[in-house]
């Protein structure tokens, strides 16, 4: 579908934008075999600024063939960890050197505020540095039975990793998968989100200049139901790492079953932010605002269900709504902007539909539609609903936008029941000064990650992933190393072999 906007729309456009985005296969930029393309638009004007090659099965086949050849006969999987680490650090250097350019392209392509996009490039570089360090320091188990046997683990890269990434903070999230997959000696085929292919195209030149051999990294743009589907079903791709919404994850799970692929999937979220009466109220409000309105609310770990103890409920709602009304919504390239434009008209329509649903499911305290000073573009004012019932759609369903539901609770048991009352289980945020309550609540909440008296600050050594409908498996730190490698147990007899003599 093609979206256009009136010619009167004006906004910042970076210089030297490409008008056509190609695949990158076996060290070369190429178009689709059949010539298929799709339009790429920016979310402020909703005008098409480029076309992108639309990958089909034959394009995925070429990319997988290149990756398979580079894995079977190329130098990358056989390099010593230190040699691979040097390349990874060169990649990190290049990402840091292009921080300003990466941020401006990411902001233009996604609608994220420029001040938030700037941090994404540095985080992407840090992912490569982290795994460069980790593979050099990596060691595996060896077990000895004195005089009898020694056993050790031989860790090996698996092969071609299929990486399917989302459109929110795309460049940084691509680095989460690319860094460990490459660090462990695999080759990859990346299928970036079709809404935001611009920054992904930069990886090719960065990798080439850093000395990554041809065929180790391959990129195929395209729609999920075409390029993504072909990658998931390809018999020579033993690993799929996917970040995206839960329904797509279920489809990938079904399609990967035929070839028994390894799967790591970080899926949707509807995370609770639980504020007890003894919490540092100002700090909790700061965190609860940032947790749902940063990145335009388009974040999987957003604390989009705020549960507040009844004793402070009215005060919390009043202060929270007042702050939400003051959030600056505007041009993503303006440094003053705190909430920019949603990524695409299709997503904008989805989020606005939930805002309308919310008006019948809760008490509207702030926002509720398009800001009056922004008549064009995918803009939604930060929207706050209070008194939301646990069975409401805006309480249960992932909206993935700047919309929050606030619900009161009377005691710890009710808070825990409300927190766990969704199909999702990605993150949870707990605010209390009671140490015993904090630990007991965090251990009983159904979430893969919990932050106590903190916003979303992650240590790269810790596991990242969810439970229930929020994911399958974990990545991060050594768990990423485990996912992208096979662990082969080798057993050696040291003494006389005592084997039962069948047939003797």
């Amino acid at each position: 579908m093609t979206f256009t906007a009136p010619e009167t729309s004006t906004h910042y456009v970076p210089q030297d934008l490409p008008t056509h985005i190609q695949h990158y296969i076996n060290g070369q930029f190429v178009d689709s075999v059949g010539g298929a393309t799709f339009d790429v638009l920016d979310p402020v004007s909703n005008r098409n600024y480029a076309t992108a090659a639309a990958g089909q099965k034959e394009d995925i086949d070429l990319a997988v063939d290149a990756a398979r050849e580079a894995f079977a006969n190329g130098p990358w999987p056989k390099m010593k960890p230190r040699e691979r680490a040097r390349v990874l650090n060169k990649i990190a250097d290049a990402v840091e050197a292009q921080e300003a350019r990466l941020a401006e392209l990411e902001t233009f392509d996604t609608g994220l505020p420029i001040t938030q996009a700037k941090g994404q490039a540095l985080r992407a570089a840090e992912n490569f540095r982290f795994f460069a360090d980790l593979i050099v320091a990596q060691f595996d188990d060896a077990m000895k039975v004195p005089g009898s046997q020694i056993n050790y683990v031989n860790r090996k890269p698996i092969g071609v990793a299929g990486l399917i990434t989302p459109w929110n903070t795309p460049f940084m999230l691509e680095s989460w998968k690319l860094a460990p997959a490459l660090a462990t000696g695999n080759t990859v085929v990346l299928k970036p989100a079709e809404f935001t292919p611009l920054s992904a195209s930069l990886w090719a030149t960065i990798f080439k200049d850093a000395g990554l051999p041809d065929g180790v990294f391959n990129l195929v743009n395209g729609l999920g139901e075409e390029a993504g589907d072909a990658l998931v079903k390809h018999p020579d791709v033993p690993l799929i790492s996917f970040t995206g919404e839960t329904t797509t994850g279920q489809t990938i799970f079904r399609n990967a079953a035929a070839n028994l692929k390894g799967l790591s999937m970080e899926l949707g979220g509807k995370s609770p932010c639980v504020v007890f009466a003894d919490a540092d109220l100002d700090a909790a409000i700061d965190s609860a605002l940032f947790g749902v309105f940063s990145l335009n609310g388009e974040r999987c770990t957003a604390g989009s269900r705020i549960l507040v103890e009844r004793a402070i409920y009215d005060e919390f709602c009043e202060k929270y709504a007042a702050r939400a009304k003051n959030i600056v919504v505007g041009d993503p390239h303006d440094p003053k902007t705190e909430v920019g434009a949603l990524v695409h008209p299709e997503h904008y329509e989805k989020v606005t539909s939930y805002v309308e649903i919310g008006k019948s499911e809760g008490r509207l305290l702030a926002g509720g539609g398009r800001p009056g000073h922004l008549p064009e573009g995918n803009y939604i004012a930060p929207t706050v609903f209070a008194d939301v019932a646990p069975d409401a759609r805006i309480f249960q369903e992932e909206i993935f936008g700047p919309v929050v539901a606030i619900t009161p609770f009377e005691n710890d048991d009710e808070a825990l029941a409300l927190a766990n009352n969704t199909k999702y289980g990605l993150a949870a945020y707990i605010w209390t000064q009671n140490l015993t309550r904090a630990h007991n609540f965090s251990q009983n909440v159904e979430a893969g990650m919990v932050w106590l008296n903190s916003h979303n600050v992650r240590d790269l050594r810790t596991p990242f992933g969810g439970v229930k409908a929020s994911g399958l498996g974990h990545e991060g730190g050594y768990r990423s190393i485990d996912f992208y490698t096979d662990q082969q147990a080798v057993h050696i007899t040291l003494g006389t072999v005592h084997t039962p003599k069948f047939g003797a």
Side-chain angles (χ1 to χ4, degrees):
M1 183 181 296
T2 299
F3 295 88
T4 58
E7 288 301 319
T8 55
S9 288
T10 59
H11 69 290
Y12 177 81
V13 177
Q15 293 183 345
D16 301 321
L17 279 177
T19 57
H20 182 58
I21 299 170
Q22 296 178 292
H23 310 309
Y24 184 76
I25 298 175
N26 202 25
Q28 301 293 324
F29 287 101
V30 296
D31 283 322
S32 295
V33 171
T37 64
F38 63 94
D39 293 327
V40 186
L41 55 81
D42 80 87
V44 171
S45 72
N46 285 331
R47 292 197 189 98
N48 298 322
Y49 71 87
T51 58
Q56 311 294 311
K57 181 180 182 301
E58 55 266 34
D59 304 298
I60 291 292
D61 289 344
L62 289 175
V64 173
D65 287 348
R68 183 64 197 166
E69 173 63 22
F71 183 79
N73 299 311
W76 187 251
K78 304 175 185 66
M79 283 185 181
K80 295 177 181 179
R82 177 68 71 185
E83 294 173 330
R84 286 203 297 269
R86 289 192 183 101
V87 176
L88 297 179
N89 277 310
K90 288 180 181 178
I91 292 168
D93 291 341
V95 171
E96 287 181 346
Q98 298 184 53
E99 179 194 3
R101 176 64 171 171
L102 286 168
E104 104 175 320
L105 294 182
E106 199 83 315
T107 291
F108 179 77
D109 206 25
T110 66
L112 294 178
I114 187 68
T115 54
Q116 296 168 40
K118 284 181 177 177
Q120 304 304 315
L122 295 180
R123 287 185 66 187
E126 179 57 26
N127 284 327
F128 280 91
R129 295 202 193 283
F130 176 83
F131 284 103
D133 292 341
L134 202 61
I135 58 168
V136 172
Q138 170 73 35
F139 65 93
D140 287 299
D141 296 328
M143 294 132 298
K144 183 179 180 181
V145 181
S148 177
Q149 192 177 62
I150 187 169
N151 316 281
Y152 68 89
V153 174
N154 176 37
R155 191 181 291 270
K156 303 188 293 185
I158 295 175
V160 180
L163 312 179
I164 303 176
T165 53
W167 44 256
N168 60 323
T169 64
F171 191 83
M172 190 274 291
L173 290 177
E174 287 153 10
S175 75
W176 274 15
K177 301 179 188 300
L178 287 166
L182 295 173
T184 48
N186 297 282
T187 57
V188 304
V189 177
L190 170 66
K191 207 298 284 184
E194 56 264 32
F195 285 175
T196 55
L198 181 59
S199 62
S201 64
L202 300 174
W203 286 117
T205 302
I206 290 172
F207 289 153
K208 186 89 166 182
D209 292 346
L212 194 72
D214 289 347
V216 174
F217 168 75
N218 304 273
L219 182 153
V220 178
N221 295 295
L223 307 183
E225 57 269 30
E226 296 173 352
D229 184 65
L231 183 60
V232 168
K233 291 177 178 176
H234 200 292
D236 291 331
V237 179
L239 291 175
I240 296 291
S241 178
F242 169 74
T243 298
E245 56 95 25
T246 298
T247 302
T248 304
Q250 292 170 325
T251 301
I252 289 173
F253 193 105
R254 286 191 294 268
N255 290 339
N259 290 300
L260 298 176
K261 295 177 185 285
L263 290 175
S264 177
M265 297 197 291
E266 189 257 292
L267 306 176
K270 193 71 177 177
S271 300
C273 175
V274 185
V275 184
F276 288 92
D278 67 340
D280 180 334
L281 187 59
D282 290 337
I285 288 174
D286 287 343
S287 177
L289 284 160
F290 180 84
V292 75
F293 297 129
S294 60
L295 306 182
N296 298 346
E298 297 165 328
R299 59 186 307 156
C300 53
T301 55
S304 54
R305 293 183 299 134
I306 303 179
L307 313 176
V308 184
E309 193 166 3
R310 178 70 72 178
I312 60 168
Y313 182 74
D314 291 340
E315 180 184 6
F316 181 95
C317 288
E318 181 181 354
K319 290 183 175 180
Y320 190 91
R323 289 277 298 277
K325 291 174 183 176
N326 285 335
I327 290 174
V328 178
V329 184
D331 187 334
H333 291 276
D334 186 339
K336 296 178 182 177
T337 293
E338 295 170 309
V339 170
L342 299 188
V343 68
H344 193 276
E346 290 179 13
H347 186 59
Y348 171 81
E349 291 170 7
K350 172 194 169 185
V351 176
T352 53
S353 73
Y354 274 107
V355 170
E356 293 307 308
I357 290 169
K359 291 175 182 178
S360 65
E361 293 186 332
R363 177 165 54 97
L364 181 64
L365 300 183
R370 175 185 292 278
H373 67 290
L374 295 167
E376 299 170 3
N378 306 322
Y379 292 103
I380 292 179
T383 298
V384 181
F385 292 105
D387 309 340
V388 179
D391 60 351
R393 289 185 64 186
I394 63 169
F395 187 96
Q396 291 289 337
E397 299 175 18
E398 184 177 41
I399 300 173
F400 219 66
V403 182
V404 67
I406 308 179
T407 299
F409 66 85
E410 299 293 344
N411 52 49
D412 291 32
D413 289 341
E414 185 182 10
L416 183 64
L418 288 170
N420 291 338
N421 183 28
T422 70
K423 69 178 182 179
Y424 297 106
L426 187 58
Y429 306 86
I430 315 300
W431 287 88
T432 179
Q433 299 297 327
N434 185 318
L435 186 63
T436 300
R437 169 195 284 152
H439 284 290
N440 285 330
F441 199 100
S442 65
Q443 292 176 28
N444 287 298
V445 72
E446 294 168 351
M449 298 168 288
V450 181
W451 279 269
L452 297 174
N453 298 323
S454 171
H455 66 284
N456 187 327
V457 179
R458 179 171 168 254
D459 188 319
L460 293 179
R461 296 169 294 182
T462 60
F464 189 99
V467 298
K468 300 196 294 188
S470 287
L472 176 70
H474 290 79
E475 295 188 45
Y478 283 114
R479 284 133 182 115
S480 292
I481 302 294
D482 288 341
F483 176 69
Y484 289 106
T485 57
D486 279 327
Q487 298 177 63
Q488 179 187 58
V490 180
H491 308 275
I492 306 166
T493 298
L494 299 177
T496 304
V497 180
H498 296 287
T499 306
K501 298 183 182 297
F502 279 29

